[in-house]
Amino acid sequence: MNKKLLVANWKMHHTRISAENYFANFFAALPAKLWADRVELVFAVPYTLLATVSTILKDKLGAVAAQNMHWLDKGAYTGEVSLPMLADLGVGKVVLGHSERRQYYGESDESVALKVKAALQAGFSPIVCIGEILGERQAGKTSEVIAGQLAAVFAQISTCKQLIIAYEPVWAIGTGLAATSEQAQEVHQLIRQIVTKKFPEDGSEVPLIYGGSVTSANIAELMQQAAIDGALVGGASLSGDGFAELVNSLL
Ligand code: PEP
């Protein structure tokens, strides 16, 4: 995989006006012709901005993603958003199982797996986040945790077409303490082994991306690791200028 996949995770940031300013700054700093054949960009934005950002990106390169969804199509689930609702806005990608959703909203391996199954069945590309917390790493349980999180998802799915996996060590998210490129490479290799064992035919094509305090200072080294196909970027993707600088540091 030569093109690197960069997913900007805006979390709970931005409004319509600030999103417009964001892309004005981003595209001014980084015309698409500079990056189109080197990186693929996805912007995971709040629900309220999906329509706005889809429109802004219409004639540009770059796709929009939601940050969550329900696994059912409709029903009495106040506050939830379904796949048909996202599809209605032209959205085809969704981040699932982010550690903040697991930590603050009780998402379990099982609910994440149901969402991944529904997303794949609906033709979406789920960006599935997995990763260990600090105590698990310190206890030498990283491989076990990763294998368990993947096993829960793989128990529900029969294809890996469109699947994207993000390895996000929880201790590295928003802390400024990124995994070293060696640590990230090691876990990505493990994930690749597990994915290709489950899907011998096309598991090698599933993009595996790293997330956790990626910045313009460390992205180039992380992306040089053979097992890492891209990055999920939170804090460093929040300003158009800053994210352009990060993308630029890869070109
Ligand atoms: C994230 O939101 O998934 C993330 C990796 O955040 P940050 O880049 O800020 O650590």
Side-chain angles (χ1 to χ4, degrees):
M1 263 167 252
N2 293 329
K3 251 190 189 185
K4 296 295 182 187
L5 171 63
L6 299 185
V7 181
N9 179 13
W10 285 9
K11 310 193 186 198
M12 194 172 72
H13 292 278
H14 288 302
T15 58
R16 284 179 297 170
I17 295 280
S18 70
E20 274 162 22
N21 289 335
Y22 178 106
F23 284 107
N25 292 337
F26 180 82
F27 289 120
L30 202 68
K33 61 178 168 10
L34 284 182
W35 51 264
D37 52 356
R38 302 289 297 279
V39 296
E40 189 184 334
L41 295 182
V42 176
F43 296 88
V45 305
Y47 291 135
T48 49
L49 294 175
L50 288 168
T52 303
V53 174
S54 290
T55 305
I56 291 172
L57 293 177
K58 207 167 187 122
D59 303 320
K60 308 255 191 293
L61 297 169
V64 68
Q67 298 176 5
N68 185 29
M69 51 99 344
H70 200 286
W71 60 86
L72 293 176
D73 281 357
K74 60 184 172 182
Y77 300 99
T78 303
E80 292 292 329
V81 168
S82 71
L83 286 157
M85 294 170 183
L86 296 176
D88 190 40
L89 294 178
V91 177
K93 297 181 193 295
V94 58
V95 174
L96 293 174
H98 191 280
S99 67
E100 287 152 13
R101 297 220 52 88
R102 293 179 191 255
Q103 188 180 349
Y104 305 134
Y105 304 101
E107 292 238 9
S108 62
D109 285 349
E110 289 66 35
S111 64
V112 173
L114 286 176
K115 291 177 182 195
V116 177
K117 178 183 180 188
L120 289 174
Q121 281 176 345
F124 271 60
S125 186
I127 302 164
V128 185
C129 303
I130 56 171
E132 79 286 2
I133 61 173
L134 184 58
E136 291 165 338
R137 173 161 282 266
Q138 286 169 337
K141 291 193 168 154
T142 300
S143 307
E144 195 185 314
V145 171
I146 296 299
Q149 290 173 335
L150 286 175
V153 171
F154 289 169
Q156 291 288 341
I157 63 175
S158 52
T159 174
C160 65
K161 282 205 171 62
Q162 307 266 51
L163 180 66
I164 297 168
I165 297 174
Y167 168 55
E168 296 213 297
V170 180
W171 47 271
I173 298 178
T175 59
L177 189 75
T180 63
S181 46
E182 293 78 19
Q183 287 171 324
Q185 165 83 353
E186 193 184 354
V187 181
H188 279 70
Q189 283 171 332
L190 168 72
I191 296 171
R192 179 67 71 202
Q193 272 172 22
I194 296 172
V195 176
T196 48
K197 190 164 176 216
K198 166 75 182 175
F199 299 105
E201 277 182 16
D202 46 7
S204 61
E205 283 157 36
V206 174
L208 307 184
I209 65 177
Y210 167 79
S213 295
V214 173
T215 65
S216 52
N218 62 19
I219 190 161
E221 191 189 333
L222 283 160
M223 295 306 111
Q224 271 162 19
Q225 305 306 307
I228 304 181
D229 302 315
L232 179 45
V233 186
S237 76
L238 291 184
S239 88
D241 287 333
F243 194 50
E245 186 188 324
L246 185 143
V247 176
N248 199 27
S249 63
L250 272 187
L251 305 180

